[in-house]
Amino acid sequence: MSGGDSAGRLVRPFTLTGGRTRPSRADFTLITTVTAVDPQPEAAPRPQPEHTRILRLCAEPVAVAEIAARLDLPVSVVVILLCDLLEAGRITARPPHPVTRTTPDLDLLQKVRDGLGRL
């Protein structure tokens, strides 16, 4: 018996979160953009290995869904870890920009249609 799951992980996701199953805050959606703070705060506690992996991924802005995919972890686990990092001042989180509904630009749509017709 290897002790891992079918994906080959040796550590179960709930151990990464210290048994927590819910995030401590509701700042994160799948498309929330996360960026590591540079320089990292000196007073923050030393991060776990998973936190460090997230911080490396977030050197440039990246979406929550992308972080979960790259780490091969459930989004729910990643969000809990991101909450830890946000509360420690190690990352910033930007919600998606709201989309405003406006009347479509018919001239632009016509140009797109004409351009697609040439393909």
mmCIF file of all heavy atoms in Angstrom, residues 22-30 32 79 83 86-87 93 95-96:
data_model
loop_
_atom_site.group_PDB
_atom_site.id
_atom_site.type_symbol
_atom_site.label_atom_id
_atom_site.label_comp_id
_atom_site.label_asym_id
_atom_site.label_seq_id
_atom_site.Cartn_x
_atom_site.Cartn_y
_atom_site.Cartn_z
ATOM 1 N N ARG A 22 -13.672 25.052 5.021
ATOM 2 C CA ARG A 22 -14.260 26.296 4.509
ATOM 3 C C ARG A 22 -13.243 27.426 4.602
ATOM 4 O O ARG A 22 -12.508 27.524 5.581
ATOM 5 C CB ARG A 22 -15.495 26.678 5.303
ATOM 6 C CG ARG A 22 -16.597 25.646 5.234
ATOM 7 C CD ARG A 22 -17.914 26.226 5.697
ATOM 8 N NE ARG A 22 -18.921 25.201 5.867
ATOM 9 C CZ ARG A 22 -19.629 24.702 4.879
ATOM 10 N NH1 ARG A 22 -19.428 25.100 3.660
ATOM 11 N NH2 ARG A 22 -20.535 23.781 5.109
ATOM 12 N N PRO A 23 -13.241 28.315 3.583
ATOM 13 C CA PRO A 23 -12.328 29.469 3.644
ATOM 14 C C PRO A 23 -12.754 30.434 4.751
ATOM 15 O O PRO A 23 -13.926 30.492 5.122
ATOM 16 C CB PRO A 23 -12.461 30.104 2.262
ATOM 17 C CG PRO A 23 -13.744 29.603 1.704
ATOM 18 C CD PRO A 23 -14.027 28.283 2.363
ATOM 19 N N SER A 24 -11.802 31.169 5.247
ATOM 20 C CA SER A 24 -12.083 32.125 6.323
ATOM 21 C C SER A 24 -12.700 33.423 5.802
ATOM 22 O O SER A 24 -13.174 34.231 6.578
ATOM 23 C CB SER A 24 -10.798 32.438 7.089
ATOM 24 O OG SER A 24 -9.821 32.952 6.195
ATOM 25 N N ARG A 25 -12.692 33.604 4.493
ATOM 26 C CA ARG A 25 -13.267 34.806 3.890
ATOM 27 C C ARG A 25 -13.775 34.479 2.500
ATOM 28 O O ARG A 25 -13.448 33.436 1.957
ATOM 29 C CB ARG A 25 -12.260 35.948 3.861
ATOM 30 C CG ARG A 25 -10.868 35.529 3.526
ATOM 31 C CD ARG A 25 -9.786 36.541 3.804
ATOM 32 N NE ARG A 25 -10.093 37.864 3.380
ATOM 33 C CZ ARG A 25 -9.637 38.964 3.963
ATOM 34 N NH1 ARG A 25 -8.832 38.876 4.982
ATOM 35 N NH2 ARG A 25 -9.964 40.144 3.524
ATOM 36 N N ALA A 26 -14.548 35.381 1.932
ATOM 37 C CA ALA A 26 -15.180 35.125 0.633
ATOM 38 C C ALA A 26 -14.605 36.015 -0.465
ATOM 39 O O ALA A 26 -15.325 36.494 -1.326
ATOM 40 C CB ALA A 26 -16.688 35.327 0.748
ATOM 41 N N ASP A 27 -13.287 36.225 -0.458
ATOM 42 C CA ASP A 27 -12.655 37.115 -1.424
ATOM 43 C C ASP A 27 -12.361 36.463 -2.769
ATOM 44 O O ASP A 27 -12.015 37.153 -3.707
ATOM 45 C CB ASP A 27 -11.321 37.640 -0.864
ATOM 46 C CG ASP A 27 -11.513 38.518 0.344
ATOM 47 O OD1 ASP A 27 -12.400 39.367 0.319
ATOM 48 O OD2 ASP A 27 -10.759 38.337 1.320
ATOM 49 N N PHE A 28 -12.463 35.151 -2.857
ATOM 50 C CA PHE A 28 -11.958 34.463 -4.036
ATOM 51 C C PHE A 28 -13.050 33.790 -4.864
ATOM 52 O O PHE A 28 -13.892 33.078 -4.329
ATOM 53 C CB PHE A 28 -10.929 33.412 -3.620
ATOM 54 C CG PHE A 28 -9.745 33.992 -2.917
ATOM 55 C CD1 PHE A 28 -9.659 33.986 -1.539
ATOM 56 C CD2 PHE A 28 -8.714 34.579 -3.639
ATOM 57 C CE1 PHE A 28 -8.569 34.540 -0.893
ATOM 58 C CE2 PHE A 28 -7.619 35.140 -3.000
ATOM 59 C CZ PHE A 28 -7.553 35.113 -1.621
ATOM 60 N N THR A 29 -12.990 34.038 -6.171
ATOM 61 C CA THR A 29 -13.789 33.308 -7.149
ATOM 62 C C THR A 29 -12.793 32.625 -8.077
ATOM 63 O O THR A 29 -11.581 32.818 -7.949
ATOM 64 C CB THR A 29 -14.685 34.247 -7.972
ATOM 65 O OG1 THR A 29 -13.852 35.086 -8.791
ATOM 66 C CG2 THR A 29 -15.580 35.103 -7.091
ATOM 67 N N LEU A 30 -13.277 31.861 -9.014
ATOM 68 C CA LEU A 30 -12.375 31.185 -9.951
ATOM 69 C C LEU A 30 -11.533 32.164 -10.754
ATOM 70 O O LEU A 30 -10.418 31.849 -11.147
ATOM 71 C CB LEU A 30 -13.177 30.300 -10.912
ATOM 72 C CG LEU A 30 -13.773 29.039 -10.314
ATOM 73 C CD1 LEU A 30 -14.638 28.333 -11.349
ATOM 74 C CD2 LEU A 30 -12.681 28.109 -9.812
ATOM 75 N N THR A 32 -10.728 35.390 -9.771
ATOM 76 C CA THR A 32 -10.023 36.397 -8.979
ATOM 77 C C THR A 32 -8.542 36.323 -9.336
ATOM 78 O O THR A 32 -7.974 35.239 -9.430
ATOM 79 C CB THR A 32 -10.209 36.138 -7.475
ATOM 80 O OG1 THR A 32 -11.598 36.219 -7.160
ATOM 81 C CG2 THR A 32 -9.429 37.140 -6.635
ATOM 82 N N VAL A 79 -8.288 27.807 -2.309
ATOM 83 C CA VAL A 79 -8.896 29.019 -1.742
ATOM 84 C C VAL A 79 -8.583 29.131 -0.257
ATOM 85 O O VAL A 79 -8.273 30.222 0.243
ATOM 86 C CB VAL A 79 -10.418 29.045 -2.013
ATOM 87 C CG1 VAL A 79 -11.106 30.103 -1.172
ATOM 88 C CG2 VAL A 79 -10.686 29.278 -3.491
ATOM 89 N N CYS A 83 -6.496 32.181 1.385
ATOM 90 C CA CYS A 83 -6.970 32.976 2.527
ATOM 91 C C CYS A 83 -5.856 33.136 3.559
ATOM 92 O O CYS A 83 -5.662 34.227 4.099
ATOM 93 C CB CYS A 83 -8.193 32.323 3.169
ATOM 94 S SG CYS A 83 -9.709 32.488 2.213
ATOM 95 N N LEU A 86 -3.425 35.693 2.135
ATOM 96 C CA LEU A 86 -3.999 37.043 2.139
ATOM 97 C C LEU A 86 -3.993 37.623 3.547
ATOM 98 O O LEU A 86 -3.600 38.777 3.758
ATOM 99 C CB LEU A 86 -5.412 37.015 1.565
ATOM 100 C CG LEU A 86 -6.088 38.360 1.375
ATOM 101 C CD1 LEU A 86 -5.355 39.195 0.331
ATOM 102 C CD2 LEU A 86 -7.545 38.169 0.958
ATOM 103 N N GLU A 87 -4.384 36.816 4.517
ATOM 104 C CA GLU A 87 -4.412 37.281 5.909
ATOM 105 C C GLU A 87 -3.006 37.557 6.448
ATOM 106 O O GLU A 87 -2.837 38.396 7.317
ATOM 107 C CB GLU A 87 -5.147 36.261 6.779
ATOM 108 C CG GLU A 87 -6.638 36.241 6.470
ATOM 109 C CD GLU A 87 -7.382 35.074 7.071
ATOM 110 O OE1 GLU A 87 -6.759 34.230 7.757
ATOM 111 O OE2 GLU A 87 -8.603 34.999 6.850
ATOM 112 N N ALA A 93 -5.395 40.236 -3.790
ATOM 113 C CA ALA A 93 -6.429 39.589 -4.591
ATOM 114 C C ALA A 93 -7.278 40.661 -5.251
ATOM 115 O O ALA A 93 -7.736 41.586 -4.578
ATOM 116 C CB ALA A 93 -7.300 38.692 -3.714
ATOM 117 N N PRO A 95 -10.650 41.256 -7.498
ATOM 118 C CA PRO A 95 -11.855 40.633 -8.076
ATOM 119 C C PRO A 95 -11.946 40.964 -9.562
ATOM 120 O O PRO A 95 -11.320 41.924 -10.029
ATOM 121 C CB PRO A 95 -12.996 41.277 -7.290
ATOM 122 C CG PRO A 95 -12.441 42.572 -6.799
ATOM 123 C CD PRO A 95 -10.956 42.356 -6.612
ATOM 124 N N PRO A 96 -12.702 40.180 -10.298
ATOM 125 C CA PRO A 96 -12.868 40.482 -11.722
ATOM 126 C C PRO A 96 -13.573 41.824 -11.895
ATOM 127 O O PRO A 96 -14.366 42.229 -11.044
ATOM 128 C CB PRO A 96 -13.713 39.331 -12.249
ATOM 129 C CG PRO A 96 -14.322 38.702 -11.051
ATOM 130 C CD PRO A 96 -13.441 39.005 -9.884
#
